[in-house]
Amino acid sequence: MVETNLILLGPPGAGKGTQAERLQADFALAHISTGDMLRAQVAQGTELGREAQKYMNAGELVPDEVILGMIGQRIGEQDAREGFLLDGFPRNTSQADALAATLADSGRRLTGVLLIDVPDEVLVRRLAGRRVCVKSGHVYHVEFDPPKREDVCDQDGSRLIQRDDDREETIRRRLEVYARQTAPLIDYYEGAGLLRRFDGQRNPNEVHDHIRATVATLRLEDEL
Ligand code: AP5
């Protein structure tokens, strides 16, 4: 079978992580989230984590060399050789160029780029109300997707926390950084004929249905 290599693109709070969890189960893809990888480094107290945390808490991008080192290694790992779903990477055109070069070097290519579109005013509300399981990383929302018991994960009973960068002033900065540095990737991938757009204002099940149908078609086209 041809490998399926996807990018989930969209502003902070668009629902990339929410959809990635579902798509990973549908298509057995390696879910590679640079944000989750960085937060794991922060939690472990590594030097990389301490360095990255300064940028993350300020809502800025972590320097490319840190990210590219992590990603280059990860997409070469066995599970990702069978197909991957990138979430939060690439975030600027130099990261996109580096990804293209890494894939070309190993004779691989992207299958599609899935853009989840959501306006800024909705994003602020989503991020401010987001809660995350400390153990599994499963994502909730106090209003749109609340857990059965307040601040307790339905899946494993662990504590739910608010991310350090989900404070309102940091959220605003993250949205500015997205508009300036990441949004140009929309034209970049549209020009390459890879972009597919999804209305992220629909409920998570509807967004998932649309993306899943598109990915299934992309896979079929690849196999023909
Ligand atoms: P990262 O972790 O990648 O964060 P992000 O891109 O800002 O995205 P989020 O995780 O905040 O949002 P999401 O789209 O996954 O939304 P979610 O599904 O959780 O990056 C964090 C930081 O790390 C960056 O700021 C940067 O510093 C650094 N970094 C990471 N990658 C980097 C890179 N490549 N280069 C440089 N630096 C990098 O949903 C949000 C909320 O909305 C949840 O509560 C959810 O329940 C709810 N929700 C989801 N879908 C819906 C829906 N359809 N309707 C209603 N509510 C919904």
Side-chain angles (χ1 to χ4, degrees):
M1 187 189 283
V2 184
E3 62 180 286
T4 302
N5 297 325
L6 301 167
I7 294 174
L8 268 173
L9 185 63
K16 301 182 297 295
T18 300
Q19 297 302 326
E21 194 175 321
R22 296 163 182 229
L23 295 168
Q24 179 189 27
D26 293 332
F27 298 107
L29 302 171
H31 173 206
I32 303 177
S33 157
T34 40
D36 287 349
M37 292 166 86
L38 291 168
R39 280 184 288 277
Q41 295 284 333
V42 172
Q44 287 162 28
T46 64
E47 197 182 326
L48 190 156
R50 279 195 297 278
E51 182 62 20
Q53 191 171 29
K54 290 186 262 173
Y55 295 93
M56 296 168 81
N57 287 353
E60 303 292 338
L61 296 186
V62 173
D64 285 352
E65 53 277 18
V66 175
I67 301 291
L68 295 176
M70 277 184 352
I71 278 285
Q73 188 191 339
R74 181 66 186 93
I75 61 175
E77 287 175 12
Q78 190 49 44
D79 63 331
R81 301 287 318 174
E82 290 160 25
F84 57 73
L85 180 59
L86 293 173
D87 163 5
F89 175 89
R91 253 179 152 99
N92 55 34
T93 48
S94 60
Q95 291 184 10
D97 288 342
L99 173 65
T102 304
L103 293 177
D105 280 350
S106 48
R108 305 172 78 186
R109 64 185 187 82
L110 287 171
T111 311
V113 177
L114 315 169
L115 171 67
I116 308 181
D117 254 336
V118 181
D120 278 10
E121 60 278 12
V122 177
L123 296 170
V124 174
R125 197 162 158 205
R126 281 196 191 172
L127 292 171
R130 171 166 56 187
R131 298 293 181 273
V132 184
C133 172
V134 276
K135 197 165 160 207
S136 67
H138 186 77
V139 172
Y140 296 86
H141 192 280
V142 290
E143 231 179 303
F144 309 131
D145 182 19
K148 293 194 182 77
R149 279 175 56 208
E150 198 180 336
D151 291 334
V152 177
C153 180
D154 294 344
Q155 297 187 342
D156 61 16
S158 300
R159 199 163 46 92
L160 302 184
I161 53 158
Q162 185 163 28
R163 261 170 52 174
D164 287 341
D165 59 350
D166 280 347
R167 290 187 309 265
E168 186 146 346
E169 66 281 12
T170 314
I171 292 172
R172 299 267 174 212
R173 182 64 195 146
R174 288 161 64 200
L175 293 175
E176 286 166 14
V177 167
Y178 175 82
R180 207 180 60 245
Q181 301 195 45
T182 311
L185 292 179
I186 297 171
D187 284 346
Y188 180 106
Y189 286 120
E190 191 135 59
L194 287 166
L195 196 82
R196 301 289 182 277
R197 291 173 186 265
F198 301 90
D199 177 3
Q201 285 195 86
R202 291 173 177 271
N203 76 51
N205 291 338
E206 287 176 322
V207 179
H208 175 223
D209 287 345
H210 289 168
I211 298 182
R212 187 180 46 196
T214 299
V215 173
T217 306
L218 289 171
R219 282 162 67 105
L220 212 60
E221 286 170 359
D222 249 11
E223 279 169 25
L224 293 178

